Amino acid sequence: MEVKTKVKKGRKQHEKGSWRDYFEWKLLLSFVGVCAILVGAFTLEAPQLSAKYQNNRPVQVQQKGAGVFFYNPNCSACKKAYPAVFWHNFWHMTNEKERIEVVNVAYSANQHYIHDYGIVATPTMMTEKGQLQSSDGQKLVSFTERSGKHG
Protein backbone atom coordinates (compact mmCIF):
# COMPACT_ATOMS: atom_id res chain seq x y z
CA MET A 1 0.00 0.00 0.00
CA GLU A 2 1.44 3.30 -1.06
CA VAL A 3 0.92 6.27 1.22
CA LYS A 4 0.55 9.60 -0.54
CA THR A 5 1.70 12.62 1.37
CA LYS A 6 1.21 16.32 1.09
CA VAL A 7 3.64 18.81 2.53
CA LYS A 8 2.06 21.58 4.55
CA LYS A 9 4.19 24.00 6.56
CA GLY A 10 7.08 21.59 6.87
CA ARG A 11 5.01 18.66 8.19
CA LYS A 12 3.81 15.61 6.34
CA GLN A 13 0.06 15.22 6.25
CA HIS A 14 -1.53 11.93 5.25
CA GLU A 15 -4.55 11.52 3.02
CA LYS A 16 -7.74 9.78 4.15
CA GLY A 17 -7.51 6.01 4.28
CA SER A 18 -3.95 6.08 5.51
CA TRP A 19 -2.42 4.20 8.40
CA ARG A 20 -3.00 7.25 10.62
CA ASP A 21 -6.80 7.03 10.15
CA TYR A 22 -6.62 3.31 10.91
CA PHE A 23 -4.63 4.07 14.07
CA GLU A 24 -7.20 6.70 15.21
CA TRP A 25 -10.08 4.22 14.77
CA LYS A 26 -8.13 1.53 16.58
CA LEU A 27 -7.44 3.97 19.43
CA LEU A 28 -11.12 4.95 19.62
CA LEU A 29 -12.24 1.31 19.65
CA SER A 30 -9.67 0.52 22.35
CA PHE A 31 -11.03 3.38 24.47
CA VAL A 32 -14.61 2.13 24.02
CA GLY A 33 -13.45 -1.38 24.94
CA VAL A 34 -11.76 -0.17 28.12
CA CYS A 35 -14.92 1.76 29.07
CA ALA A 36 -17.03 -1.36 28.52
CA ILE A 37 -14.68 -3.37 30.74
CA LEU A 38 -14.89 -0.72 33.47
CA VAL A 39 -18.70 -0.69 33.33
CA GLY A 40 -18.71 -4.49 33.49
CA ALA A 41 -16.34 -4.48 36.45
CA PHE A 42 -18.51 -1.92 38.24
CA THR A 43 -21.60 -4.04 37.58
CA LEU A 44 -19.94 -7.09 39.10
CA GLU A 45 -18.08 -5.44 41.96
CA ALA A 46 -20.45 -2.71 43.15
CA PRO A 47 -22.70 -5.05 45.15
CA GLN A 48 -19.72 -6.73 46.83
CA LEU A 49 -18.09 -3.41 47.72
CA SER A 50 -21.40 -2.12 49.05
CA ALA A 51 -21.92 -5.23 51.17
CA LYS A 52 -18.45 -5.00 52.61
CA TYR A 53 -18.02 -1.25 53.16
CA GLN A 54 -21.20 0.78 52.76
CA ASN A 55 -23.33 -0.83 55.44
CA ASN A 56 -20.82 -0.60 58.30
CA ARG A 57 -22.91 1.77 60.35
CA PRO A 58 -25.66 1.56 62.93
CA VAL A 59 -29.07 1.18 61.34
CA GLN A 60 -32.43 2.18 62.72
CA VAL A 61 -34.89 -0.28 61.19
CA GLN A 62 -37.88 1.75 59.97
CA GLN A 63 -39.88 -1.02 58.25
CA LYS A 64 -41.22 1.56 55.76
CA GLY A 65 -40.05 -0.28 52.66
CA ALA A 66 -40.76 -3.62 51.07
CA GLY A 67 -38.79 -5.55 53.67
CA VAL A 68 -35.65 -5.75 55.79
CA PHE A 69 -32.64 -7.78 54.63
CA PHE A 70 -30.34 -9.05 57.39
CA TYR A 71 -26.93 -10.22 56.22
CA ASN A 72 -23.33 -10.78 57.25
CA PRO A 73 -20.72 -9.74 54.64
CA ASN A 74 -18.52 -12.71 55.64
CA CYS A 75 -21.29 -15.26 54.98
CA SER A 76 -20.99 -17.05 51.62
CA ALA A 77 -24.79 -17.40 51.25
CA CYS A 78 -25.14 -13.66 51.91
CA LYS A 79 -22.55 -12.87 49.24
CA LYS A 80 -24.71 -14.83 46.80
CA ALA A 81 -27.98 -13.15 47.81
CA TYR A 82 -26.79 -9.56 48.32
CA PRO A 83 -26.42 -8.53 44.63
CA ALA A 84 -30.14 -9.11 43.92
CA VAL A 85 -31.09 -6.90 46.88
CA PHE A 86 -28.48 -4.29 45.88
CA TRP A 87 -29.76 -4.02 42.29
CA HIS A 88 -33.39 -4.05 43.44
CA ASN A 89 -32.62 -1.04 45.65
CA PHE A 90 -30.61 0.61 42.88
CA TRP A 91 -33.57 0.46 40.48
CA HIS A 92 -36.00 1.60 43.19
CA MET A 93 -33.82 4.24 44.83
CA THR A 94 -36.45 6.96 44.45
CA ASN A 95 -39.35 4.89 45.79
CA GLU A 96 -39.00 4.30 49.52
CA LYS A 97 -41.93 1.87 49.60
CA GLU A 98 -40.21 -0.42 47.09
CA ARG A 99 -36.75 -0.33 48.67
CA ILE A 100 -35.46 -3.04 50.96
CA GLU A 101 -33.75 -1.93 54.17
CA VAL A 102 -30.33 -3.53 54.56
CA VAL A 103 -28.86 -4.43 57.95
CA ASN A 104 -25.31 -5.71 58.36
CA VAL A 105 -25.57 -7.83 61.52
CA ALA A 106 -21.79 -8.30 61.62
CA TYR A 107 -21.50 -4.65 62.65
CA SER A 108 -21.49 -4.57 66.45
CA ALA A 109 -24.11 -1.81 66.77
CA ASN A 110 -26.57 -3.86 64.68
CA GLN A 111 -26.12 -7.22 66.40
CA HIS A 112 -29.06 -6.58 68.73
CA TYR A 113 -31.40 -7.09 65.74
CA ILE A 114 -30.50 -10.79 65.77
CA HIS A 115 -32.25 -11.09 69.13
CA ASP A 116 -34.85 -8.34 68.59
CA TYR A 117 -36.26 -10.01 65.47
CA GLY A 118 -35.31 -13.63 66.19
CA ILE A 119 -32.92 -13.92 63.26
CA VAL A 120 -31.75 -17.55 63.21
CA ALA A 121 -29.50 -17.42 60.13
CA THR A 122 -28.30 -15.01 57.48
CA PRO A 123 -29.30 -14.03 54.90
CA THR A 124 -32.82 -13.39 56.12
CA MET A 125 -35.53 -11.29 54.51
CA MET A 126 -38.19 -10.01 56.88
CA THR A 127 -41.53 -8.59 55.74
CA GLU A 128 -44.90 -8.11 57.42
CA LYS A 129 -45.63 -11.62 56.12
CA GLY A 130 -42.77 -13.25 58.07
CA GLN A 131 -39.16 -14.25 57.53
CA LEU A 132 -37.41 -16.14 54.76
CA GLN A 133 -33.85 -17.51 54.87
CA SER A 134 -32.35 -18.21 51.45
CA SER A 135 -29.12 -17.74 49.50
CA ASP A 136 -31.25 -17.13 46.39
CA GLY A 137 -31.39 -13.34 46.14
CA GLN A 138 -34.20 -13.37 43.56
CA LYS A 139 -36.30 -15.52 45.86
CA LEU A 140 -35.72 -13.05 48.72
CA VAL A 141 -36.67 -10.07 46.55
CA SER A 142 -39.76 -11.91 45.27
CA PHE A 143 -40.76 -12.60 48.88
CA THR A 144 -40.98 -8.82 49.44
CA GLU A 145 -43.03 -8.32 46.30
CA ARG A 146 -45.63 -10.85 47.39
CA SER A 147 -45.85 -9.47 50.92
CA GLY A 148 -48.63 -7.03 50.08
CA LYS A 149 -46.74 -3.84 51.02
CA HIS A 150 -46.60 -2.53 47.45
CA GLY A 151 -50.18 -1.46 47.07
Side-chain angles (χ1 to χ4, degrees), residues 1 3-4 13-29:
M1 181 170 128
V3 176
K4 297 179 184 179
Q13 196 175 39
H14 296 280
E15 292 180 358
K16 286 204 178 260
S18 70
W19 64 271
R20 191 173 267 174
D21 288 334
Y22 170 75
F23 177 74
E24 288 172 0
W25 273 105
K26 193 172 182 180
L27 184 64
L28 178 65
L29 290 175

Side-chain angles (χ1 to χ4, degrees), residues 46-87:
Q48 300 307 324
L49 293 173
S50 171
K52 193 170 183 179
Y53 299 110
Q54 183 180 5
N55 300 312
N56 290 329
R57 63 190 180 340
V59 174
Q60 184 66 36
V61 173
Q62 303 289 321
Q63 295 184 343
K64 291 181 183 177
V68 182
F69 177 67
F70 297 95
Y71 81 102
N72 181 331
N74 301 315
C75 155
S76 61
C78 298
K79 289 177 184 178
K80 257 178 88 175
Y82 189 87
V85 174
F86 174 87
W87 290 114

Side-chain angles (χ1 to χ4, degrees), residues 11-150:
R11 298 176 72 189
K12 290 183 180 180
Q13 196 175 39
H14 296 280
E15 292 180 358
K16 286 204 178 260
S18 70
W19 64 271
R20 191 173 267 174
D21 288 334
Y22 170 75
F23 177 74
E24 288 172 0
W25 273 105
K26 193 172 182 180
L27 184 64
L28 178 65
L29 290 175
S30 296
F31 175 75
V32 169
V34 167
C35 289
I37 289 169
L38 291 173
V39 167
F42 169 77
T43 302
L44 293 174
E45 290 300 317
Q48 300 307 324
L49 293 173
S50 171
K52 193 170 183 179
Y53 299 110
Q54 183 180 5
N55 300 312
N56 290 329
R57 63 190 180 340
V59 174
Q60 184 66 36
V61 173
Q62 303 289 321
Q63 295 184 343
K64 291 181 183 177
V68 182
F69 177 67
F70 297 95
Y71 81 102
N72 181 331
N74 301 315
C75 155
S76 61
C78 298
K79 289 177 184 178
K80 257 178 88 175
Y82 189 87
V85 174
F86 174 87
W87 290 114
H88 173 86
N89 283 344
F90 179 81
W91 293 115
H92 295 95
M93 72 174 76
T94 60
N95 187 346
E96 191 175 284
K97 289 183 180 181
E98 295 284 330
R99 285 197 331 245
I100 297 169
E101 291 181 70
V102 178
V103 179
N104 176 355
V105 295
Y107 185 70
S108 59
N110 295 333
Q111 288 179 352
H112 66 93
Y113 290 121
I114 295 170
H115 303 290
D116 294 352
Y117 293 106
I119 304 301
V120 180
T122 57
T124 295
M125 182 66 71
M126 184 181 75
T127 68
E128 64 185 13
K129 192 172 146 179
Q131 293 183 8
L132 175 67
Q133 288 96 26
S134 176
S135 62
D136 183 344
Q138 290 302 322
K139 190 174 182 179
L140 293 169
V141 170
S142 294
F143 184 69
T144 67
E145 292 167 357
R146 290 191 303 261
S147 73
K149 269 203 157 184
H150 290 349

